[in-house]
């Protein structure tokens, strides 16, 4: 049977990981109380974090792993690249989406991504899965969506560095001294 992904936002992943890191053990009851969700939803969150190796299971309880602590440290430092690397290594859905976008020479729609990724036999890609994983990648700053065409494309470090240096260059050109002590703004 093909594995599917539970619909989780980055916020929920961070909240659950943070709670798990502060408690010796965490279960559905505690998570549902703290996050104010139903027990069934709390169980789904715990199982998804276990799939990502962010929690380890012992009986009906879960505990934080070293990877959980690393992810939370990166979150505190706002190291989105570091979190991206963790997700890329630990989540097959995320890795396949990023790889599919990096293999594509042009921007693609969610429908095109779904067609491309639905051929993966051991994972169940559907519209919700694409929404979730695209949202993660977008929030982590590795994927961007064209607002007019709703097409997704992978951002490269080179593009963001070029953009930053170009903005600085244009700013320097516009902020020229006409004579000592007098600048254009």
């Amino acid at each position: 049977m093909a594995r599917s992904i539970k619909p989780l936002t980055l916020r929920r992943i961070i909240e659950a990981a943070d709670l798990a890191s502060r408690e010796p053990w965490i279960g559905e009851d505690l998570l549902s109380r703290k996050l104010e969700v139903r027990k069934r939803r709390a169980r789904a969150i715990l199982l998804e974090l276990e799939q990502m190796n962010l929690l380890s299971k012992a009986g009906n309880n879960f505990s934080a792993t070293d990877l959980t602590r690393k992810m939370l440290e990166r979150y505190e430092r706002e190291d989105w690249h570091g979190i991206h690397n963790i997700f890329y290594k630990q989540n097959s859905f995320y890795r396949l989406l990023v790889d599919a976008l990096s293999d594509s020479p042009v921007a693609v729609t969610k429908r095109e991504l779904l067609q491309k990724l639905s051929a993966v036999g051991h994972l169940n890609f559907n519209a919700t899965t694409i929404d979730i994983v695209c949202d993660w990648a977008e929030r982590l700053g590795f994927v961007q969506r064209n607002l007019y065409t709703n097409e997704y494309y992978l951002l490269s470090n080179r593009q963001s560095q070029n953009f930053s240096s170009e903005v600085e260059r244009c700013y320097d050109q516009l902020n020229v001294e006409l004579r000592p002590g007098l600048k254009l703004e």
Side-chain angles (χ1 to χ4, degrees):
M1 188 166 118
R3 182 173 116 59
S4 61
I5 193 171
K6 311 295 185 285
L8 283 179
T9 62
L10 279 178
R11 176 183 173 194
R12 279 294 188 216
I13 291 171
I14 298 296
E15 287 173 337
D18 182 52
L19 182 60
S21 72
R22 290 185 279 122
E23 301 287 336
W25 295 99
I26 185 172
E28 337 177 336
D29 293 331
L30 178 62
L31 189 65
S32 69
R33 231 181 15 260
K34 294 288 186 173
L35 297 184
E36 298 177 355
V37 296
R38 295 176 189 246
K39 286 184 183 181
R40 184 175 176 194
R41 176 72 175 145
R43 178 123 182 100
I45 293 169
L46 292 169
L47 291 174
E48 193 60 41
L49 266 63
E50 181 191 21
Q51 285 288 326
M52 295 175 69
N53 296 320
L54 293 172
L55 295 178
S56 62
K57 186 176 181 181
N60 289 332
N61 292 316
F62 296 83
S63 64
T65 63
D66 290 336
L67 191 60
T68 310
R69 290 173 187 81
K70 285 179 187 175
M71 185 187 70
L72 291 172
E73 286 170 9
R74 288 181 171 108
Y75 176 75
E76 289 294 322
R77 290 190 323 247
E78 295 183 10
D79 177 8
W80 310 123
H81 183 73
I83 295 173
H84 160 79
N85 288 337
I86 290 172
F87 276 50
Y88 187 84
K89 290 176 186 168
Q90 301 299 322
N91 190 289
S92 302
F93 292 96
Y94 186 81
R95 181 175 42 259
L96 286 169
L97 176 97
V98 170
D99 289 346
L101 287 170
S102 65
D103 291 344
S104 180
V106 295
V108 293
T109 64
K110 285 183 179 179
R111 175 172 284 170
E112 292 167 333
L113 279 170
L114 183 57
Q115 289 172 347
K116 191 174 196 177
L117 295 172
S118 62
V120 178
H122 66 287
L123 298 175
N124 182 18
F125 274 94
N126 56 32
T128 303
T129 304
I130 297 291
D131 286 342
I132 293 163
V133 182
C134 280
D135 182 62
W136 292 354
E138 230 180 319
R139 291 180 186 278
L140 292 174
F142 276 80
V143 168
Q144 191 155 355
R145 177 176 53 96
N146 182 315
L147 295 175
Y148 299 106
T149 63
N150 274 333
E151 293 176 324
Y152 287 83
Y153 55 93
L154 197 65
L155 292 175
S156 70
N157 288 339
R158 195 181 90 250
Q159 286 173 326
S160 60
Q161 288 170 352
N162 287 346
F163 179 76
S164 298
S165 61
E166 187 63 20
V167 168
E168 286 178 32
R169 188 186 65 74
C170 289
Y171 176 79
D172 289 341
Q173 277 184 340
L174 292 172
N175 198 16
V176 183
E177 282 192 33
L178 295 174
R179 56 188 153 193
L182 194 64
K183 285 187 174 186
L184 290 175
E185 291 186 22

